[in-house]
Amino acid sequence: MRRCCVQKMLGISLLSILLAGSWTFGVNYAWFGGYGDNLWDVADNWWPVGVPSSSTADIVTIAAPPQQGPVINSSVNAVCYQLEGPGLAAGSNRMDITGGSLTVGNRWRIPNAYGQGPGEVNISGGTISTGSYWFIGYRGSSVVTMTAGSVAVGGDIDTGRDRSSDTL
């Protein structure tokens, strides 16, 4: 009897040590655009308040009421693990990348995972990279216009997935 209890206590202690030392839980951020400047790197534009980063954000969703989504300009180095949007259930939602960089550790889906749309991305400068796929027209319609800048995708660029239309 006593041996069984000791083993259980050791197991619980080891599990507690492992969990405390190795797990980091992220924050899911939603675009709010409440500050008025629409810049990605302004904490008040996000809910919860704070700027997403690769170490803090599991998923960033851009599907909020303002028509203008985040702007990434030459002063912004935007980072997140996964990006959903832009896309709105009613109306459209736009994201502008005029400079700086956007690094998505995993995948970027336009519009968001729920197929809300349409989503619009205008790229006139800067660099974009994803660690995995870039879905354009994911379950909804999307428009991506690129006049300058560069894109590096770690997987495939997938267009028109699951009942959608898109324009590149």
Side-chain angles (χ1 to χ4, degrees), residues 39-42 51 71-79 99-102:
L39 291 176
W40 177 289
D41 64 342
V42 174
V51 178
V71 173
I72 298 173
N73 64 19
S74 61
S75 69
V76 177
N77 293 312
V79 179
S101 64
L102 170 61

Side-chain angles (χ1 to χ4, degrees), residues 4-66:
C4 178
C5 292
V6 171
Q7 286 176 340
K8 284 183 184 178
M9 288 176 57
L10 273 174
I12 291 171
S13 297
L14 286 174
L15 182 61
S16 297
I17 291 168
L18 289 173
L19 290 176
S22 64
W23 283 18
T24 307
F25 295 97
V27 176
N28 293 336
Y29 285 92
W31 176 253
F32 177 66
Y35 191 68
D37 62 3
N38 295 317
L39 291 176
W40 177 289
D41 64 342
V42 174
D44 288 337
N45 284 329
W46 297 97
W47 184 257
V49 174
V51 178
S53 72
S54 61
S55 62
T56 62
D58 281 340
I59 299 174
V60 171
T61 303
I62 303 168

Side-chain angles (χ1 to χ4, degrees), residues 125-142:
T127 60
I128 299 167
S129 65
T130 68
S132 182
Y133 295 95
W134 188 11
F135 296 108
I136 300 169
Y138 185 84
R139 296 183 179 171
S141 60
S142 299

Side-chain angles (χ1 to χ4, degrees), residues 75-144:
S75 69
V76 177
N77 293 312
V79 179
C80 64
Y81 177 70
Q82 183 170 309
L83 183 55
E84 301 287 343
L88 271 177
S92 65
N93 197 223
R94 186 180 82 238
M95 180 174 175
D96 295 320
I97 302 171
T98 62
S101 64
L102 170 61
T103 303
V104 181
N106 188 16
R107 66 177 174 248
W108 181 6
R109 295 190 283 201
I110 308 169
N112 60 42
Y114 306 104
Q116 297 171 326
E120 180 181 342
V121 177
N122 296 312
I123 305 163
S124 59
T127 60
I128 299 167
S129 65
T130 68
S132 182
Y133 295 95
W134 188 11
F135 296 108
I136 300 169
Y138 185 84
R139 296 183 179 171
S141 60
S142 299
V143 175
V144 174

